[in-house]
Amino acid sequence: MRVVDTNEQARKNPLQETFERLRARRWDMAHTRAKERIARLRKLRDTLVQRREALYQALHADFRKPAAEVENTEVLMVLMEIDHTIKHLAKWMKPRKVSTPVLLAGTRSEVRYEAKGVVLIIAPWNYPFQLTISPLVAALAAGNCVVLKPSEKTPHTSAFIQQLVRDVFDPSEVTVVLGGAQESQALLELPFDHFFFTGGPKVGRKVMEAAAKHLAGVTLELGGKSPAVVDETADIKTTAERLAFGKFLNGGQTCVAPDYVLVPASKEQELLARMRETIERFYGKTEEARKANPDFCRMVDDAQFTRVNRLLERSVANGARVVVGGTVDAASRYIAPTVLADVKPETPIMEEEIFGPVLPVLRYERLEDAVRHIRAGTKPLAMYIFSQDSQTVERLLSETSAGGTCVNTAVVHLSNAELPFGGVGESGMGNYHGEYGFRTFSHERAVLRQGPLSLLGTLFPPYTEKSRKMGRMASRLFE
């Protein structure tokens, strides 16, 4: 038997020592009771509340995210997740009794929830605090040790997270690893028990490959072109407001933002007019006022600005019409809240997830045309239906697939901890939030206990004519 040289491992992977420290602690964490796990979550909550102003400053420094948006989309979301988990954790942790079939008379069965062990959470840059800490809450609730890898694109927020974690948790329980692609690759080489990744499909495939090498669990929260379908019964004024809110929140850098709108030709001009009115009311009457508005984010870095700007330029060059917006400023990474009309499926803006403040509007003649368009693409992370007709809503729900769906609103479904949040197909696999997160980071262990009474002996060899007859009689119960 070959003895593993831990010093050799550490030389090959500088994060090996960090991983081993957590692995040595994993059984202690797995054996903690609800009371102990809740105490950790309360300490996290209380420390966050004390430092929220510092978080405002960090996110503003990273991409000029306004304090109100930080509060609503980062702080509030995490506090709600912690509160919901504290309230229900003791119940989630209890073994769940299940019924016993007749042929197993004399047994009793249950499902136990056990920690997976050491888990890796790789977080994105668009909601860098919420999408790091919310899955951490679930992983801790399930009794795991955790390595967090926040994004290098938001360095101020990542530094805030690192200091927060250092002050709240023992480093053998939760550790933050900063850095870029090199550090991420080093982490993917380690044998974590579960890999949790939020980001794009390209890197998601690499994470899935890493998990496969270790035969570990994997959760992928990806993105996609999330459609919004408006029908002829929709309240257009309300629809425009909710679309604008969902699209331009966080500067359009939201994985569940409406990526494009499908609207009946008969309602197109009304929707476009209402979108213009709404943008002017939200962000300012003129392009100059909107650019100066402190309530609108910037692109996170030059690469993100350039990518979205090129999509916009190519689309306009190919015939798309700017209804409102369209102005940009490279120096400040500003792209105005923009609505495009005369967009076709082959327009460049439809080639990939936009992840920026540009909303294409496509007209359709018949509802089946909208359904066909959605089906032609990959399965989205979210879908939005604006209609007052329950039959139309049900048809769209039954004839399409999406990670989650809102009817007559946008984006807010992920704030309900009673709903699973996750993708399907190209937009991801697995889910979390609330109990769904607890289960994601837990192994559901089947346990059957045999009592003194048992029918099992009738199945033992040698197989006599009597035992064969009994087997046939048992099978007929299910014919």
Side-chain angles (χ1 to χ4, degrees):
M1 183 179 70
R2 180 176 179 269
V3 177
V4 177
D5 184 345
T6 55
N7 291 327
E8 179 186 351
Q9 286 182 331
R11 285 193 296 272
K12 290 181 179 179
N13 191 329
L15 296 173
Q16 183 73 41
E17 184 178 344
T18 297
F19 176 80
E20 295 298 340
R21 182 175 66 242
L22 276 79
R23 185 154 64 176
R25 178 77 168 139
R26 64 89 76 211
W27 286 111
D28 293 334
M29 287 288 283
H31 293 150
T32 52
R33 298 169 297 171
K35 182 179 179 181
E36 297 168 273
R37 298 180 190 181
I38 288 171
R40 286 180 173 85
L41 295 178
R42 282 185 172 144
K43 186 177 180 182
L44 173 61
R45 179 195 62 194
D46 294 346
T47 308
L48 168 59
V49 169
Q50 294 168 6
R51 300 183 185 181
R52 59 172 15 121
E53 293 291 338
L55 181 58
Y56 295 167
Q57 295 169 16
L59 277 155
H60 189 271
D62 282 330
F63 57 111
R64 283 185 58 176
K65 185 162 183 169
E69 280 194 13
V70 176
E71 188 63 40
N72 294 333
T73 65
E74 306 272 3
V75 177
L76 177 60
M77 292 289 290
V78 169
L79 292 178
M80 289 171 63
E81 189 73 22
I82 294 174
D83 182 71
H84 183 81
T85 301
I86 288 173
K87 183 177 180 180
H88 298 285
L89 181 56
K91 179 182 176 182
W92 297 343
M93 288 177 64
K94 289 181 180 178
R96 176 168 54 89
K97 294 181 180 179
V98 297
S99 59
T100 300
V102 174
L103 294 180
L104 292 179
T107 69
R108 52 192 174 91
S109 301
E110 66 183 22
V111 178
R112 298 173 67 96
Y113 297 96
E114 58 184 34
K116 287 193 171 181
V118 185
V119 304
L120 171 64
I121 296 172
I122 302 178
W125 52 262
N126 58 325
Y127 291 88
F129 184 76
Q130 182 218 134
L131 295 179
T132 303
I133 304 301
S134 287
L136 171 65
V137 170
L140 292 173
N144 296 283
C145 292
V146 185
V147 172
L148 294 175
K149 171 59 179 69
S151 174
E152 70 278 12
K153 287 180 177 287
T154 49
H156 298 88
T157 307
S158 294
F160 173 89
I161 291 170
Q162 184 181 53
Q163 191 59 55
L164 178 75
V165 167
R166 281 177 176 170
D167 293 343
V168 172
F169 302 104
D170 187 287
S172 66
E173 298 172 358
V174 184
T175 292
V176 175
V177 173
L178 299 182
Q182 183 176 349
E183 286 72 20
S184 294
Q185 184 57 47
L187 287 168
L188 292 179
E189 293 170 0
L190 296 169
F192 287 94
D193 299 291
H194 192 89
F195 293 76
F196 187 104
F197 171 76
T198 304
K202 182 179 179 180
V203 179
R205 288 184 174 89
K206 294 181 180 180
V207 174
M208 194 169 182
E209 288 175 7
K213 288 178 183 177
H214 305 297
L215 295 179
V218 60
T219 302
L220 302 177
E221 297 295 340
L222 310 177
K225 295 189 75 66
S226 297
V229 182
V230 181
D231 81 350
E232 293 184 348
T233 70
D235 180 328
I236 299 300
K237 179 178 182 297
T238 301
T239 297
E241 290 175 342
R242 294 172 186 175
L243 282 172
F245 167 74
K247 179 61 182 182
F248 303 118
L249 180 73
N250 210 46
Q253 300 163 115
T254 301
C255 57
V256 292
D259 201 80
Y260 63 95
V261 182
L262 294 163
V263 62
S266 61
K267 293 289 184 179
E268 181 186 20
Q269 292 309 311
E270 182 183 0
L271 178 65
L272 293 175
R274 289 293 189 182
M275 289 297 300
R276 172 185 280 278
E277 291 175 7
T278 302
I279 289 172
E280 290 178 352
R281 179 157 44 89
F282 282 6
Y283 301 111
K285 291 283 187 182
T286 66
E287 288 297 320
E288 292 76 15
R290 290 191 279 274
K291 183 179 178 183
N293 192 313
D295 295 334
F296 188 70
C297 280
R298 299 302 187 253
M299 297 293 95
V300 73
D301 60 14
D302 291 340
Q304 174 74 349
F305 170 85
T306 300
R307 186 188 63 81
V308 176
N309 186 39
R310 284 178 179 169
L311 282 175
L312 177 58
E313 289 176 340
R314 290 173 55 216
S315 298
V316 173
N318 278 268
R321 174 169 57 91
V322 176
V323 176
V324 60
T327 61
V328 302
D329 177 52
S332 61
R333 304 195 304 270
Y334 171 78
I335 297 178
T338 300
V339 176
L340 297 179
D342 300 332
V343 176
K344 297 177 175 59
E346 61 272 17
T347 301
I349 201 75
M350 298 300 294
E351 291 174 356
E352 61 185 85
E353 183 181 8
I354 301 166
F355 227 68
V358 181
L359 183 64
V361 178
L362 291 77
R363 71 179 73 90
Y364 68 87
E365 297 295 336
R366 301 173 302 171
L367 189 63
E368 48 263 41
D369 297 332
V371 170
R372 190 179 304 112
H373 177 88
I374 294 169
R375 285 180 176 178
T378 57
K379 296 175 183 177
L381 184 57
M383 177 175 170
Y384 304 112
I385 302 169
F386 292 89
S387 173
Q388 301 301 319
D389 183 358
S390 59
Q391 291 184 335
T392 296
V393 172
E394 186 55 39
R395 180 180 175 186
L396 288 168
L397 287 171
S398 63
E399 295 187 7
T400 62
S401 179
T405 298
C406 289
V407 178
N408 292 319
T409 191
V411 173
V412 296
H413 61 297
L414 55 84
S415 63
N416 184 353
E418 297 287 356
L419 287 173
F421 175 67
V424 56
E426 190 83 1
S427 60
M429 61 175 60
N431 51 51
Y432 72 118
H433 286 185
E435 187 174 4
Y436 301 97
F438 172 81
R439 292 191 178 194
T440 285
F441 289 104
S442 299
H443 168 60
E444 293 178 302
R445 185 174 186 169
V447 179
L448 184 146
R449 304 177 192 273
Q450 179 70 60
L453 175 65
S454 175
L455 299 178
L456 188 62
T458 61
L459 303 179
F460 293 166
Y463 299 120
T464 63
E465 183 62 25
K466 180 180 179 181
S467 64
R468 287 194 289 270
K469 285 181 179 179
M470 291 188 68
R472 285 196 297 269
M473 288 174 61
S475 295
R476 289 192 182 105
L477 295 174
F478 304 96
E479 292 179 359

